[in-house]
Amino acid sequence: MHMRQPRPTRRQLLATPLALVPASTASTARASAAGLGALAAQRGVIFGSTLTRGQVEESPEMLRIATDDMAMIVPGFEFKWPALRPSAGAFDFSGADAMLRFAEQRGQAARGHALVWHGALPAWFGDGPADAAGMHALLRRHIGTVAGRYAGRLHSWDVVNEPVEPWDGRPDGLRASPFLRALGPDYIDLSFRLAAAADPAARLTLNEYGLELATAEQEARRTALLALLEGMLRRGVPVHAIGIQAHLAAAASADFDPAVLRRFIRRVAGLGLDCYVTELDVTDRGLPAGIAARDAAVARTYRGFLEAVLAEPAVKLVVLWGISDRYTWMNDSRFARREDGLPVRPHPYDNEFRPKPAWHAIAGALRAAPPR
Ligand code: 9MR
């Protein structure tokens, strides 16, 4: 029989810096029975959130919610190049190690985000090596070292993040990133092969944004992504899942057509791939200032989106890109922040860590989801 370790008092737990939170909290702490993670698990869905080391060290409430509601943690910063690669020659694993330990001590799964992304690169990277050999060596070293270090401990890796950008005008719809400029489209296959060699156990994911709406622009992105995936699979590239980021806007709900998104998910599933919702949040940009109406619209958007995706058995995982409105990337983003300057309310807990209608909407959608 499994013997429970004595649980530290709340005060002890909250007074303990992240790196020192004892392992004995693990078996007792994971996604409590009433939490979202436990609800999702009953439906065969892994549920979690992004989280940063700074958030849990600063806020006992974030620690509590991340423990009670989340069965998976996705470090929001610590696995990105600016954290891992302070200089061209050195690696700094302290943040990533601490976050992974934090998850493991709670019996939570973790995802790595992201091995190759044009969007968060350290200053020393500049535009990257322009020549193929230089970029190849850089990716080989980065992916081999990082994915190798955490091999067997991560559920999945976002191997390449946001490789598609129809606006860049290429016939294949791929983004003109520094990686592509140096290596051509082969950088994507190469990255997945390097990741598979370094961590054969991780589910290797191609993560993309702007896939959710029934607009011409997002249709172009879906089409380019499907073509990319088909090519990768034809070439025998080890890709196992797509990540649908799902940064949603309540004001854009007229552009959301569940049938369109579900058809896309079925096409992905038809290729033998899983679908993960990797960065779900809902901005209230564009809505009037009244809080009750904003919160209701955001909640409806969560509910409608989750009902649609969870109706598809290929959707195995849902990760929120934020827990509390206190810590949100959206006020810093010119695409997501409100034009009237009010703070956005995009996450399931408010500024004071009280559950909002969005929390109940997410719980309701998880309860209503068919089991997989
Ligand atoms: O939410 C993240 C924000 O705190 C970071 O400053 C930013 C750059 O590292 O990345 C944000 O997360 C992005 C994610 O990594 C990829 N998809 C879009 C997310 C929101 O910009």
Side-chain angles (χ1 to χ4, degrees), residues 79 81 112-117 139 142-143 146-147 157-160 195:
F79 282 80
W81 283 59
H113 171 84
L115 287 170
V116 181
W117 184 30
L139 288 181
H142 184 79
I143 296 173
V146 176
W157 262 114
D158 287 332
V159 178
V160 180

Side-chain angles (χ1 to χ4, degrees), residues 76-77 80 113 117 119-120 161-162 207 245 247 279 321 329:
F77 172 68
K80 290 176 176 171
H113 171 84
W117 184 30
N161 193 31
E162 301 172 4
N207 199 40
Q245 289 189 7
H247 295 292
E279 305 183 18
W321 211 244
W329 65 280

Side-chain angles (χ1 to χ4, degrees), residues 213-221:
L213 300 181
T215 60
E217 180 197 331
Q218 300 213 356
E219 183 63 22
R221 202 173 266 119

